[in-house]
Amino acid sequence: MAILDSKGRLFGKFNILDIGALLVILLVIGGIFLFPGTTGSVAQVGTTTKPIEVDLVVRGLKVKDIDRLSEQGKFEKGGKTNVIIRNQPYGQIPIKSIEVLPRKIIVTQPDGTVKLIPDPRENMFSTDILLTLAGKATITDGGPVLGNSKVKIGMPFELEGFNYNFRGSVIDIRIDEQA
């Protein structure tokens, strides 16, 4: 009996193409389980998780009444807000404090000096806010990491809730070293 017949079958029973396809499938499956790659979540050596506080400033928020943000969206001290960092949703993070910053203007004095005074204009639909968000971050050699994004001063955070969506800039990061 011949090893290979005229129809391309091995020992008259198995097609060579079918055997080749089966061999390729087995090699792929074996490669997936024996060499899984580096895309999985692997704990990094030398990293710890610590509580951090992130201060954000929101300049020129166009809102008629700042208190309306907290009616259904829980945008208040002790509430939570959804955070989006570099277009990647991070999740909910607690709001530690909210401070509405007073609007000020620079006025030139007759002697040439300048003076900072409260803005006398009424009914401006523009508000400046200082927010403090508190959460847990992975501390690496490159700084704190929330989700998969490093948190740096100057980077934008997008805050989203039931009836609001706006951006603020990070102006300070504090890491609780005692935790």
Side-chain angles (χ1 to χ4, degrees), residues 52-71:
I52 67 166
E53 291 180 358
V54 178
D55 286 339
L56 302 174
V57 66
V58 180
R59 306 266 317 183
L61 179 63
K62 307 295 187 220
V63 62
K64 184 176 180 181
D65 183 11
I66 191 73
D67 296 327
R68 298 245 354 230
L69 291 179
S70 65
E71 286 181 5

Side-chain angles (χ1 to χ4, degrees), residues 63-114:
V63 62
K64 184 176 180 181
D65 183 11
I66 191 73
D67 296 327
R68 298 245 354 230
L69 291 179
S70 65
E71 286 181 5
Q72 294 178 347
K74 302 297 182 204
F75 187 76
E76 58 194 14
K77 182 179 176 181
K80 291 188 175 188
T81 185
N82 293 317
V83 175
I84 301 168
I85 306 170
R86 293 186 180 155
N87 294 328
Q88 298 295 320
Y90 169 70
Q92 288 194 335
I93 194 166
I95 301 172
K96 187 170 182 181
S97 69
I98 300 174
E99 179 185 347
V100 177
L101 301 174
R103 302 280 299 195
K104 301 221 178 215
I105 59 171
I106 298 173
V107 177
T108 306
Q109 301 299 308
D111 63 355
T113 61
V114 292

Side-chain angles (χ1 to χ4, degrees), residues 83-162:
V83 175
I84 301 168
I85 306 170
R86 293 186 180 155
N87 294 328
Q88 298 295 320
Y90 169 70
Q92 288 194 335
I93 194 166
I95 301 172
K96 187 170 182 181
S97 69
I98 300 174
E99 179 185 347
V100 177
L101 301 174
R103 302 280 299 195
K104 301 221 178 215
I105 59 171
I106 298 173
V107 177
T108 306
Q109 301 299 308
D111 63 355
T113 61
V114 292
K115 187 176 183 182
L116 194 62
I117 64 168
D119 194 348
R121 295 177 285 184
E122 299 272 334
N123 228 355
M124 292 180 49
F125 300 113
S126 182
T127 306
D128 296 338
I129 303 173
L130 178 64
L131 293 168
T132 302
L133 304 177
K136 291 194 178 283
T138 304
I139 309 301
T140 64
D141 292 337
V145 177
L146 286 174
N148 290 327
S149 300
K150 290 182 182 177
V151 179
K152 304 281 186 180
I153 292 174
M155 70 181 297
F157 269 36
E158 187 174 345
L159 305 177
E160 183 177 38
F162 177 77

